[in-house]
Amino acid sequence: MERPKLPLTETVFYVLTAFKKPTYGYLAIKSIEEMSEGTVRIAAGTMYGAIENLLKQNLIEQLPSELERRKMYQTTELGNKLLVLEIERMTHCISIWKQSLKGED
């Protein structure tokens, strides 16, 4: 399966970020809401659909879990590389914006 192209969707960005540390879906939903200061709310169905897609693309992986009902996931090396590329892209965009503001003062 092909990896997502940049720019990442907001949902994919937040899901990959939420799974940088091993966690499970419901906790990731809460983490995303907190990270986004309440501006991004992901429904359970959307989260589990995103998890399935990201697993197929090898951007997250399922980890062994002691709790049968909680499936744990973590961003893979490939997922982390994609996050870094997206951060670099956004940083470049911000830099261009700041440069465009110079001289307007």
Side-chain angles (χ1 to χ4, degrees):
M1 171 102 16
E2 230 181 280
R3 72 179 177 141
K5 294 182 173 122
L6 298 179
L8 297 179
T9 66
E10 190 172 30
T11 300
V12 170
F13 177 81
Y14 275 111
V15 172
L16 288 175
T17 301
F19 286 120
K20 286 208 40 85
K21 295 180 185 173
T23 194
Y24 55 95
Y26 181 75
L27 189 58
I29 289 170
K30 293 299 176 192
S31 175
I32 290 166
E33 191 171 332
E34 185 178 308
M35 279 188 281
S36 71
E37 299 176 339
T39 61
V40 177
R41 294 182 180 192
I42 298 178
T46 302
M47 173 58 77
Y48 293 107
I51 287 171
E52 287 302 315
N53 288 332
L54 295 174
L55 284 168
K56 288 177 186 174
Q57 296 172 59
N58 194 32
L59 299 176
I60 63 170
E61 62 188 343
Q62 187 173 344
L63 303 173
S65 175
E66 295 175 10
L67 301 171
E68 185 178 319
R69 292 191 51 151
R70 284 202 179 137
K71 294 181 180 177
M72 301 292 287
Y73 303 96
Q74 186 170 10
T75 307
T76 62
E77 184 177 335
L78 178 60
N80 285 321
K81 285 180 183 177
L82 196 60
L83 277 172
V84 167
L85 290 172
E86 178 68 351
I87 295 298
E88 289 172 351
R89 185 193 69 78
M90 288 190 287
T91 301
H92 178 71
C93 290
I94 292 166
S95 173
I96 291 169
W97 173 251
K98 287 180 178 178
Q99 285 293 325
S100 76
L101 296 176
K102 288 185 177 178
E104 289 185 17
D105 298 332

mmCIF file of all heavy atoms in Angstrom, residues 34-50:
data_model
loop_
_atom_site.group_PDB
_atom_site.id
_atom_site.type_symbol
_atom_site.label_atom_id
_atom_site.label_comp_id
_atom_site.label_asym_id
_atom_site.label_seq_id
_atom_site.Cartn_x
_atom_site.Cartn_y
_atom_site.Cartn_z
ATOM 1 N N GLU A 34 -7.061 16.900 23.409
ATOM 2 C CA GLU A 34 -6.231 17.739 24.285
ATOM 3 C C GLU A 34 -5.163 18.481 23.487
ATOM 4 O O GLU A 34 -4.966 19.681 23.664
ATOM 5 C CB GLU A 34 -5.587 16.875 25.366
ATOM 6 C CG GLU A 34 -4.819 17.665 26.395
ATOM 7 C CD GLU A 34 -4.237 16.765 27.471
ATOM 8 O OE1 GLU A 34 -4.994 15.959 28.055
ATOM 9 O OE2 GLU A 34 -3.027 16.858 27.707
ATOM 10 N N MET A 35 -4.448 17.769 22.598
ATOM 11 C CA MET A 35 -3.399 18.399 21.789
ATOM 12 C C MET A 35 -3.946 19.549 20.963
ATOM 13 O O MET A 35 -3.283 20.573 20.790
ATOM 14 C CB MET A 35 -2.762 17.380 20.827
ATOM 15 C CG MET A 35 -1.730 16.490 21.417
ATOM 16 S SD MET A 35 -0.918 15.517 20.120
ATOM 17 C CE MET A 35 -2.108 14.226 19.806
ATOM 18 N N SER A 36 -5.152 19.365 20.446
ATOM 19 C CA SER A 36 -5.746 20.361 19.559
ATOM 20 C C SER A 36 -6.544 21.419 20.315
ATOM 21 O O SER A 36 -7.198 22.261 19.688
ATOM 22 C CB SER A 36 -6.664 19.678 18.538
ATOM 23 O OG SER A 36 -7.834 19.199 19.176
ATOM 24 N N GLU A 37 -6.456 21.367 21.631
ATOM 25 C CA GLU A 37 -7.195 22.299 22.490
ATOM 26 C C GLU A 37 -8.681 22.281 22.170
ATOM 27 O O GLU A 37 -9.353 23.306 22.140
ATOM 28 C CB GLU A 37 -6.608 23.706 22.377
ATOM 29 C CG GLU A 37 -5.156 23.758 22.823
ATOM 30 C CD GLU A 37 -4.504 25.107 22.648
ATOM 31 O OE1 GLU A 37 -4.988 25.942 21.842
ATOM 32 O OE2 GLU A 37 -3.481 25.331 23.327
ATOM 33 N N GLY A 38 -9.190 21.081 21.900
ATOM 34 C CA GLY A 38 -10.616 20.885 21.678
ATOM 35 C C GLY A 38 -11.112 21.179 20.278
ATOM 36 O O GLY A 38 -12.303 21.021 19.999
ATOM 37 N N THR A 39 -10.227 21.571 19.376
ATOM 38 C CA THR A 39 -10.672 21.917 18.024
ATOM 39 C C THR A 39 -10.823 20.697 17.117
ATOM 40 O O THR A 39 -11.516 20.770 16.102
ATOM 41 C CB THR A 39 -9.728 22.930 17.346
ATOM 42 O OG1 THR A 39 -8.427 22.351 17.232
ATOM 43 C CG2 THR A 39 -9.661 24.225 18.140
ATOM 44 N N VAL A 40 -10.173 19.584 17.478
ATOM 45 C CA VAL A 40 -10.287 18.356 16.692
ATOM 46 C C VAL A 40 -10.855 17.276 17.596
ATOM 47 O O VAL A 40 -10.272 16.943 18.627
ATOM 48 C CB VAL A 40 -8.921 17.903 16.121
ATOM 49 C CG1 VAL A 40 -9.054 16.581 15.378
ATOM 50 C CG2 VAL A 40 -8.341 18.970 15.220
ATOM 51 N N ARG A 41 -12.010 16.765 17.185
ATOM 52 C CA ARG A 41 -12.653 15.664 17.921
ATOM 53 C C ARG A 41 -12.863 14.529 16.942
ATOM 54 O O ARG A 41 -13.518 14.708 15.917
ATOM 55 C CB ARG A 41 -13.971 16.127 18.523
ATOM 56 C CG ARG A 41 -13.742 17.170 19.582
ATOM 57 C CD ARG A 41 -15.002 17.607 20.210
ATOM 58 N NE ARG A 41 -14.667 18.612 21.214
ATOM 59 C CZ ARG A 41 -15.507 19.043 22.111
ATOM 60 N NH1 ARG A 41 -16.729 18.565 22.147
ATOM 61 N NH2 ARG A 41 -15.133 19.955 22.971
ATOM 62 N N ILE A 42 -12.298 13.402 17.278
ATOM 63 C CA ILE A 42 -12.373 12.247 16.395
ATOM 64 C C ILE A 42 -13.315 11.227 17.018
ATOM 65 O O ILE A 42 -13.102 10.800 18.159
ATOM 66 C CB ILE A 42 -10.977 11.645 16.157
ATOM 67 C CG1 ILE A 42 -10.084 12.681 15.473
ATOM 68 C CG2 ILE A 42 -11.070 10.367 15.335
ATOM 69 C CD1 ILE A 42 -8.670 12.236 15.230
ATOM 70 N N ALA A 43 -14.324 10.837 16.274
ATOM 71 C CA ALA A 43 -15.269 9.820 16.736
ATOM 72 C C ALA A 43 -14.593 8.453 16.723
ATOM 73 O O ALA A 43 -13.631 8.228 15.982
ATOM 74 C CB ALA A 43 -16.506 9.818 15.843
ATOM 75 N N ALA A 44 -15.116 7.552 17.536
ATOM 76 C CA ALA A 44 -14.531 6.208 17.642
ATOM 77 C C ALA A 44 -14.473 5.520 16.273
ATOM 78 O O ALA A 44 -13.455 4.919 15.922
ATOM 79 C CB ALA A 44 -15.317 5.362 18.634
ATOM 80 N N GLY A 45 -15.533 5.615 15.491
ATOM 81 C CA GLY A 45 -15.546 4.980 14.169
ATOM 82 C C GLY A 45 -14.480 5.535 13.250
ATOM 83 O O GLY A 45 -13.826 4.790 12.516
ATOM 84 N N THR A 46 -14.287 6.841 13.302
ATOM 85 C CA THR A 46 -13.242 7.482 12.496
ATOM 86 C C THR A 46 -11.865 7.024 12.948
ATOM 87 O O THR A 46 -10.998 6.729 12.117
ATOM 88 C CB THR A 46 -13.353 9.023 12.613
ATOM 89 O OG1 THR A 46 -14.648 9.418 12.177
ATOM 90 C CG2 THR A 46 -12.282 9.723 11.788
ATOM 91 N N MET A 47 -11.670 6.945 14.267
ATOM 92 C CA MET A 47 -10.371 6.505 14.802
ATOM 93 C C MET A 47 -10.052 5.087 14.358
ATOM 94 O O MET A 47 -8.962 4.810 13.877
ATOM 95 C CB MET A 47 -10.364 6.600 16.330
ATOM 96 C CG MET A 47 -9.111 5.996 16.969
ATOM 97 S SD MET A 47 -7.558 6.739 16.418
ATOM 98 C CE MET A 47 -7.584 8.242 17.354
ATOM 99 N N TYR A 48 -11.015 4.187 14.497
ATOM 100 C CA TYR A 48 -10.717 2.804 14.164
ATOM 101 C C TYR A 48 -10.549 2.603 12.664
ATOM 102 O O TYR A 48 -9.745 1.772 12.237
ATOM 103 C CB TYR A 48 -11.727 1.867 14.821
ATOM 104 C CG TYR A 48 -11.516 1.919 16.320
ATOM 105 C CD1 TYR A 48 -12.409 2.574 17.154
ATOM 106 C CD2 TYR A 48 -10.356 1.402 16.885
ATOM 107 C CE1 TYR A 48 -12.179 2.677 18.524
ATOM 108 C CE2 TYR A 48 -10.107 1.503 18.248
ATOM 109 C CZ TYR A 48 -11.022 2.135 19.053
ATOM 110 O OH TYR A 48 -10.774 2.246 20.403
ATOM 111 N N GLY A 49 -11.239 3.417 11.852
ATOM 112 C CA GLY A 49 -10.998 3.391 10.412
ATOM 113 C C GLY A 49 -9.602 3.897 10.081
ATOM 114 O O GLY A 49 -8.899 3.322 9.243
ATOM 115 N N ALA A 50 -9.191 4.966 10.764
ATOM 116 C CA ALA A 50 -7.848 5.521 10.561
ATOM 117 C C ALA A 50 -6.787 4.506 10.979
ATOM 118 O O ALA A 50 -5.779 4.329 10.282
ATOM 119 C CB ALA A 50 -7.681 6.818 11.351
#
